[in-house]
Amino acid sequence: KAGVTQTPRYLIKTRGQQVTLSCSPISGHRSVSWYQQTPGQGLQFLFEYFSETQRNKGNFPGRFSGRQFSNSRSEMNVSTLELGDSALYLCASSLEGQILAFFGQGTRLTVV
Amino acid sequence: QKEVEQDPGPLSVPEGAIVSLNCTYSNSAFQYFMWYRQYSRKGPELLMYTYSSGNKEDGRFTAQVDKSSKYISLFIRDSQPSDSATYLCAMSSVNTGGFKTIFGAGTRLFVKA
C-alpha cells in the first residue's frame, strides 16, 4: 500500500514568487491536513480538507491557500513568497474520525 | 502561552539508558495523546497514541497520560542509537469539524553508542 506522497521534495523559490505543493493521500483516505514545520515553531497547522471541503484552518495569512480534488489529492499554494516561508511543508492523510497516523516525507521549500 | 509545551532539548543519553520525554498542555478538551518520531529529512511517524488517561506499552516504549496534571510522558527503555531522532508530542480534540491536532515543538534525542 503506497504511503502519503508529496511532490516535489525540494524547491527553491525567489521572494515574491508563488509556489504549489502537491499531496497524494493513502488510497481511501479522504482527509488531508497540511502543516508547516520550522525549527523555531515546530509543526504549525495550516488547513485540513475533507471531501473537497476545507474543514479547518490555522492562523496563517491569506497568501496560504489550498484545495482538494475529487480523488482526494490536495494542493497548497503560497503566493508572494517571503523569506519566512522557508520551511518543511508536511501533509498527512487519515480516514474520517481517525488521528493523524500517516505523514508524507514533506516538501522542503527554501525562499531566497 | 502555547497550548502544548515541550522541551526542545537536545537530550543526550548513553546506549541502554531509560529516556523520559514529557509535554504539558493547557486545553482540557484534548482527548487523544500521541507521540511521533521524526528522523532527519523524513516526515513524522506515529509511535503510539492514548485515548484519555492511562498508560500504554508497546515493546520498549511506554506512554503515560495524566489529565489531572495535563502532563504526558513517553519512556524509552534500553535506548538504542537508532532511537536518535526528534520526538514530537501531539494532542487532538474532536468536534463537529473533525480532529484538531496540536503538536509540541519536538525534543531532539541523541543516544550515544
Side-chain angles (χ1 to χ4, degrees), chain A residues 67-106:
Chain A
R67 59 179 175 169
Q68 186 179 33
F69 302 96
S70 58
N71 62 358
S72 294
R73 189 178 72 86
S74 178
E75 288 182 348
M76 67 163 281
N77 183 276
V78 188
S79 63
T80 320
L81 284 165
E82 301 177 359
L83 294 180
D85 297 332
S86 295
L88 180 67
Y89 290 87
L90 293 159
C91 85
S93 75
S94 61
L95 293 168
E96 170 68 344
Q98 293 199 358
I99 60 170
L100 296 178
F102 303 98
F103 277 85
Q105 302 263 44

Side-chain angles (χ1 to χ4, degrees), chain A residues 24-94:
Chain A
S24 293
I26 290 173
S27 179
H29 288 192
R30 293 194 293 163
S31 174
V32 174
S33 298
W34 287 89
Y35 285 82
Q36 180 195 66
Q37 186 175 31
T38 57
Q41 298 295 320
L43 271 79
Q44 301 290 306
F45 174 68
L46 283 156
F47 25 66
E48 184 216 357
Y49 286 87
F50 180 78
S51 292
E52 301 180 67
T53 301
Q54 187 181 88
R55 194 158 60 173
N56 287 296
K57 190 177 190 306
N59 294 324
F60 278 81
R63 300 185 296 107
F64 291 82
S65 63
R67 59 179 175 169
Q68 186 179 33
F69 302 96
S70 58
N71 62 358
S72 294
R73 189 178 72 86
S74 178
E75 288 182 348
M76 67 163 281
N77 183 276
V78 188
S79 63
T80 320
L81 284 165
E82 301 177 359
L83 294 180
D85 297 332
S86 295
L88 180 67
Y89 290 87
L90 293 159
C91 85
S93 75
S94 61

Side-chain angles (χ1 to χ4, degrees), chain B residues 38-64:
Chain B
Q38 185 175 22
Y39 291 112
S40 182
R41 296 186 178 85
K42 301 284 189 182
E45 60 176 310
L46 179 65
L47 271 178
M48 303 177 68
Y49 77 93
T50 309
Y51 175 72
S52 193
S53 282
N55 296 353
K56 190 170 185 178
E57 187 173 324
D58 184 1
R60 296 185 295 111
F61 298 87
T62 299
Q64 289 185 350

